[in-house]
Amino acid sequence: MIPPTLMNRWALVLLATLFSSIAPATPFRVATFNVELGLGVPGTTGHDAAGDILSRIDADLVALQELQSPDLSGTPSNIESLAATLGYTTIHVAETTNVLDRVSRVAFLSRHPFSSITNIASPPGANDMVRQIPAVVIDLPGTNADPTILTLHLKCCLDPDDPFRRAVELHRAANHLQSAGLTAADNVIVLGDFNLIGSDQVYNSLPAGLPVSYLLGSDVAFPVNYFMAPDNYFGTWSMTALEARQLTGSSNTQGSSVLDYILATSALTNRPHASEVYNSAHDTANGQGLPKAGTPVAAGTSGDASDHLAVFADFELVAQAGLTLTISPSSVLETDPSGAALLILTLPAAPRPGESVTVTLTSSDSTEATPAQSLITFPAGVTTRNIEIIPQEDALLDGNQTVTFTAHASGFSSATADLEVTDTNPSLFSFSTDGQIILEDFATFDGSADPARWPSSTGAWLGIDDGTNGSPGNYAYGTDPSLGVLLDRNPVSFTADFRNETGSQIAILEISYHAEQWRSSQQGAADQFLARLLLNGTPLALPNLTFTADPTLPSGPIAGGATRPFSTVVRGLAILPTDTFQLRFLAAPGVGGGGATPDDVFLNEIHYDNTGGDLNEFIEVVIGPGYSGPLSNISVVLYNGNGGGSYSTQLLESFTLDHTTASGHRIYSKLVSNIQNGAPDGLAIVESGNVLHFLSYEGIMIASNGPARGMTSTNIGVAQAGPIPSPGLDSLGLTGSGGEAADFSWTRFSGPYTRGTPNARQSFTAPAGSQGIAIDNVSVTAYLDRDLDGLPDFLETLLGTNPLLVDTDDNGTNDGEEDADGDRQSNLAEHLLTLTDPLDPSSHFLATIAPDPENPAGALLTFPALLNREYTITRSSDLITWSPLSTFQGDGTDHLLPVNGDPLARANFFRIEVSWP
């Protein structure tokens, strides 16, 4: 029952036309709460205050934002402890894959299980979301109209790129609703911290200030519209933001701003509903606002828990006729053909004459399995339709996957069914015939997991990239993907297994590949790919396949990647039938570079006091180039030395990026009013709840609360005192040269302060880093050589010789010396070494010699030098004694060799020997 006081305080939305005929309804309460830098451990002020608030609200489902990594670790974790205390049996925490923020997350607590869970993240090839947006369907008892609920925590602040990034994330949320086939007739709720500040604007191109690792998805088209009103992003679903208010009538949810919203479709807002912004300061008695559990909590509880206020709402859900969806059989192989399993979709009743029902089918993972049709129409009289399922071979070593299919139709409750897709990607390559070529081009690789047959030794998979992302990890580089890595100074290997199923002994392997460089760190490490064969576990180095990246290229992405081909031939092998061998590419840190890239985050300059009223107080923070976390992980917590308590928290997201140095250090600053003037006071630089630096000025202090609780500060040793400076003519900052805080020393500057730029007598340095390198088009050819003469059997057979005997006609002449076209070059030499036609006398290896225009006394010897062939040039004046001139590997081009004859000889002869290494 909704209290009359609530109806008098707000314009509670009730459809009068429904009062006389409201269907049986299921009550449902939701809440959203940004807990500000994490819950903390049970027993701490913040954790217990959050628990008291949520206990008082007593929602069926709670959405939490700004959980930190420490909240999710341990047994039980902070969030598990909170859920157990409040009686929530279901927990879902968003993941950190395919997003920029790897620490701060959002989560759901529920008294009821979820029938469907989807984490909305950046699509393949993109990196444009800060945090995942989880979407759940909650299985509520008493109704089949189970609601779909999304919670989000959008990018904050007002840097030029911030509104654009919020608009993209809301685009992702809307895309999910659309792909799920949801309409205004479905029960859908979107709630969370929207951070919609600034003003409406239109983006026609990418804004300035985006992170280096930001990659906009191809599904986002310009212009991109940013709206302050959250309703504008969900007009297709007739969603409106509830007018939640505090008991005083204020709609603010953080300070003087409205950041936290609950939105709902017209299916919910056309029925009785109500909402409230909970502020413990005004919660003085039961019977005020929405009904609450227990008794009022202490007035300061909301402030102890967070700088945000919790928002909650009550809805009523009515039953709908339900769709039925089943799958037969319930599992398939990913290599099975279309139709190996069927979706069986059933309506509760057939459409009447002249009517039809359209049902939308969606798959939770289209890379594993999809319906053959996404829109299914039921004409009059039809209740059941069968739809084929199309399994997808994803070429990833990702194990078996469960794919959830969902059926939606306006006016009906949705239905889901699960399909188990068995990973059938083979674990190795097999040779079955002599001369067989196995080619791996990684054509369908998306960088989300190890590619099939090429497991990696270590490293996180970071998706598709073009060399833009500077974070260490494993990648699929380029639009025609290659298998790549950006090292963190530790080696990474990729190993493929090959089995001999020819029935005979493999004696020769020809191996080639393309090495690629997609990212450069100028003057950094000359990282390498080293190739090895592993024969019965014994490594055999393949030096001809060694690739060394070029550290002289300008730093940054290399457009299209720089490619170099490599090949080699390995002879004298004895790989027996059914034996397995491995080919391993080891990405090894090269020489050069300077070790770890600085990842420190530290205070660089501060101004807190001047004569008269304090003017232009500011804080300046530097982030090292090795720091890969999001700004949302970092905060500056100001502490008052009088009692040691914190009095302000400044999120680094709200700072302005003023300058990036040549070393990659980023300088952020912000004007901050009312910084305490010392004797002593201080601040902490905090990353994901961990204190990186706790500094003080005008003395030493001990923090009594917050992230630095119990810690003793480090006095920076300088102060804006003795004397207090005039406005604008003094600041405290670091000087010296280096990359981290410890490399510098504090000083008091007597001149104008330098907010947003390096300080006087300060220079930033950082060792150069790694190169982004990759392998592609790996080709392995296996040859049998049963007579062990060094010639592959298939070539001897092709030339009409017996691969089991060197001299088949017993005429004293090796079969390889026979010359079918009479051009004085053997059939075998033409077919194997020069790639000319052994049956055409005009097709043969030809070298020419001509005067050298740059050396009148010399000449130029010119001939085609084929890839993967070795050429040795010798000289003689009598055709008996030969002197070596040059040996080199062919590169597929015509070779020009300057030569000089013996000035004392009557004639000079040059001989070119060609071999297959």
Side-chain angles (χ1 to χ4, degrees), residues 450 456-462 472-474 485 488 491-492:
D450 284 348
S456 62
S457 60
T458 187
W461 286 103
L462 301 181
N474 302 338
V485 62
D488 62 358
V492 176

Side-chain angles (χ1 to χ4, degrees), residues 349-376:
R352 293 175 294 184
E355 297 180 351
S356 63
V357 172
T358 299
V359 180
T360 301
L361 284 174
T362 59
S363 164
S364 64
D365 190 347
S366 60
T367 66
E368 295 288 346
T370 60
Q373 300 168 259
S374 58
L375 294 177
I376 312 300

Side-chain angles (χ1 to χ4, degrees), residues 271-507:
R271 294 191 57 80
H273 65 281
S275 57
E276 182 180 330
V277 177
Y278 181 82
N279 188 337
S280 62
H282 312 305
D283 180 19
T284 58
N286 287 332
Q288 297 178 322
L290 294 184
K292 302 176 182 69
T295 58
V297 300
T301 304
S302 288
D304 289 339
S306 175
D307 61 347
H308 286 249
L309 297 175
V311 183
F312 64 110
D314 288 331
F315 298 100
E316 291 188 358
L317 282 67
V318 296
Q320 294 176 317
L323 302 172
T324 302
L325 185 66
T326 59
I327 296 177
S328 180
S330 60
S331 64
V332 295
L333 304 178
E334 66 178 14
T335 52
D336 279 345
S338 174
L342 295 176
L343 288 162
I344 304 168
L345 179 60
T346 305
L347 299 181
R352 293 175 294 184
E355 297 180 351
S356 63
V357 172
T358 299
V359 180
T360 301
L361 284 174
T362 59
S363 164
S364 64
D365 190 347
S366 60
T367 66
E368 295 288 346
T370 60
Q373 300 168 259
S374 58
L375 294 177
I376 312 300
T377 299
F378 287 79
V382 176
T383 59
T384 300
R385 294 284 305 273
N386 294 341
I387 302 94
E388 291 186 351
I389 292 176
I390 306 174
Q392 306 286 331
E393 187 173 6
D394 60 9
L396 296 174
L397 295 175
D398 54 357
N400 297 345
Q401 301 290 319
T402 299
V403 179
T404 300
F405 290 88
T406 305
H408 300 277
S410 179
F412 297 86
S413 63
S414 301
T416 61
D418 290 341
L419 175 71
E420 183 78 10
V421 181
T422 302
D423 190 350
T424 57
N425 282 304
S427 60
L428 50 73
F429 298 99
S430 295
F431 289 106
S432 58
T433 60
D434 185 18
Q436 179 183 346
I437 300 173
I438 291 177
L439 175 65
E440 174 62 86
D441 59 7
F442 304 104
T444 61
F445 181 49
D446 66 5
S448 63
D450 284 348
R453 304 186 182 94
W454 291 92
S456 62
S457 60
T458 187
W461 286 103
L462 301 181
I464 296 174
D465 185 48
D466 63 355
T468 301
N469 196 334
S471 299
N474 302 338
Y475 293 91
Y477 275 130
T479 55
D480 177 16
S482 53
L483 180 57
V485 62
L486 184 65
L487 295 175
D488 62 358
R489 311 317 301 151
N490 294 308
V492 176
S493 65
F494 306 101
T495 306
D497 286 70
F498 298 79
R499 177 180 290 147
N500 178 10
E501 296 181 353
T502 64
S504 300
Q505 179 174 296
I506 293 176

Side-chain angles (χ1 to χ4, degrees), residues 505-754:
Q505 179 174 296
I506 293 176
I508 302 172
L509 291 174
E510 184 176 9
I511 305 169
S512 65
Y513 79 106
H514 288 164
E516 300 173 351
Q517 184 173 354
W518 285 87
R519 181 174 177 84
S520 174
S521 177
Q522 194 170 40
Q523 306 308 317
D527 297 328
Q528 294 183 310
F529 270 122
L530 306 174
R532 296 184 176 94
L533 281 176
L534 281 79
L535 306 169
N536 296 319
T538 301
L540 174 64
L542 306 174
N544 288 346
L545 300 183
T546 298
F547 164 72
T548 302
D550 185 352
T552 67
L553 299 173
S555 294
I558 300 172
T563 302
R564 288 177 55 192
F566 290 85
S567 63
T568 193
V569 175
V570 186
R571 301 176 184 276
L573 302 174
I575 302 172
L576 300 175
T578 73
D579 273 5
T580 298
F581 67 92
Q582 291 78 40
L583 174 61
R584 174 172 296 165
F585 286 93
L586 177 70
V591 297
T597 304
D599 60 358
D600 197 6
V601 181
F602 54 93
L603 178 69
N604 196 54
E605 188 177 5
I606 185 172
H607 162 56
Y608 64 86
D609 197 9
N610 55 251
T611 55
D614 292 343
L615 299 175
N616 299 319
E617 297 168 282
F618 71 87
I619 296 170
E620 180 183 275
V621 174
V622 169
I623 299 181
Y627 182 80
S628 58
L631 295 185
S632 58
N633 291 356
I634 305 172
S635 60
V636 180
V637 181
L638 301 176
Y639 279 89
N640 192 328
N642 183 10
S646 63
Y647 64 91
S648 176
T649 297
Q650 303 292 325
L651 299 179
L652 202 66
E653 283 185 311
S654 65
F655 283 51
T656 300
L657 174 59
D658 297 307
H659 181 73
T660 301
T661 69
S663 62
H665 287 79
R666 291 171 284 164
I667 302 177
Y668 291 84
S669 71
K670 182 180 181 179
L671 295 172
V672 180
S673 300
N674 300 317
I675 300 177
Q676 294 295 310
N677 287 343
D681 290 306
L683 58 82
I685 306 294
V686 181
E687 198 259 346
S688 301
N690 299 312
V691 176
L692 304 181
H693 303 279
F694 182 31
L695 307 175
S696 61
Y697 44 88
E698 302 189 28
I700 295 174
M701 59 177 293
I702 298 175
S704 61
N705 65 7
R709 180 179 182 180
M711 295 179 63
T712 300
S713 67
T714 298
N715 188 356
I716 63 176
V718 292
Q720 289 189 297
I724 297 173
S726 299
L729 293 179
D730 194 300
S731 67
L732 311 178
L734 294 175
T735 61
S737 177
E740 301 188 340
D743 299 327
F744 303 97
S745 58
W746 282 96
T747 190
R748 177 175 176 174
F749 299 111
S750 58
Y753 46 72
T754 57

